[in-house]
Amino acid sequence: MSISLSKGQKIDLTKTNPGLTKVLIGLGWDTNKYDGGKDFDLDASAFLLNGAGKASSEKDFIFYNNLKSTNGAIEHTGDNLTGEGDGDDEQIKVNLATVPAEVEKVSFCITIHEANERGQNFGQVTNAFVRIVNEDTGAELIRYDLGEDFSVETAVVVGELYRHGGEWKFNAVGSGYKDGLAGLVKDFGLM
């Protein structure tokens, strides 16, 4: 049975699901009617962060041009250019058992590709969500629906997996960035 979270809510993942090692992070969204004449392309990504909340190198930024972490523990399944259809628009697989020890947090984000050039923002996006699925069983464990809290933002940190006391937990973040991917990259120490 899936647990639905609210913004800022934290929940234990591995303690309540003994033996859980492989999870699928599903990210989805819809776009409102948009008459700007340009395609709307949202992208999911993950940042592997150390104890200081920073990525050690560009290899710790997993996205459509860098689909796998160095050791293969985290894998982006590919870019969806349109967001058409129901369910997850993009997915990221995480093998919790093989995430390197120096990675204390994995932050999951959604950005709008070329948002400034196309005049697009998250005020034009609806039904955004992140969900965590047990990859072995296909059971949805956690879901966080972001709601409609954004207007000028072009990037959102939707949630994060983090280590605490030898267990993995999930935090429903829902934090928007008006300076898009550049803001995320800067905050996570890659600029």
Side-chain angles (χ1 to χ4, degrees):
M1 184 170 131
S2 182
I3 297 172
S4 185
L5 299 182
S6 301
K7 182 176 180 170
Q9 194 172 359
K10 297 176 181 176
I11 189 165
D12 181 32
L13 185 63
T14 54
K15 193 173 188 178
T16 54
N17 296 285
L20 179 68
T21 57
K22 293 182 180 178
V23 294
L24 179 98
I25 311 301
L27 300 122
W29 52 79
D30 294 316
T31 55
N32 296 334
K33 293 259 187 251
Y34 172 70
D35 58 6
K38 297 190 174 122
D39 291 335
F40 220 106
D41 178 14
L42 280 75
D43 297 310
S45 59
F47 289 86
L48 287 62
L49 307 173
N50 60 26
K54 304 294 182 192
S56 299
S57 77
E58 289 180 3
K59 292 179 180 180
D60 291 337
F61 173 37
I62 309 305
F63 68 114
Y64 61 85
N65 271 343
N66 180 33
L67 293 175
K68 276 190 178 179
S69 62
T70 304
N71 77 339
I74 300 179
E75 178 184 359
H76 192 299
T77 62
D79 193 12
N80 177 338
L81 298 175
T82 64
E84 292 295 319
D86 293 331
D88 300 339
D89 289 305
E90 294 188 11
Q91 297 176 328
I92 299 171
K93 296 179 179 182
V94 180
N95 184 336
L96 299 170
T98 61
V99 172
E102 64 273 10
V103 175
E104 292 189 20
K105 187 185 300 182
V106 181
S107 188
F108 299 97
C109 309
I110 302 173
T111 56
I112 301 174
H113 185 68
E114 296 180 346
N116 290 337
E117 297 85 347
R118 298 177 181 187
Q120 299 170 343
N121 59 56
F122 272 93
Q124 298 158 320
V125 175
T126 58
N127 305 320
F129 68 86
V130 60
R131 67 189 193 112
I132 299 179
V133 176
N134 180 330
E135 191 177 338
D136 292 331
T137 66
E140 181 177 287
L141 305 173
I142 298 170
R143 183 179 184 95
Y144 168 44
D145 293 300
L146 272 72
E148 312 301 322
D149 295 339
F150 307 104
S151 57
V152 299
E153 293 84 352
T154 57
V156 177
V157 176
V158 293
E160 59 193 16
L161 286 171
Y162 66 98
R163 296 182 206 255
H164 182 75
E167 301 287 346
W168 283 97
K169 297 183 178 234
F170 181 77
N171 180 16
V173 177
S175 177
Y177 282 71
K178 67 177 189 226
D179 46 356
L181 182 58
L184 293 172
V185 168
K186 182 179 178 195
D187 278 6
F188 292 139
L190 294 177
M191 271 178 79

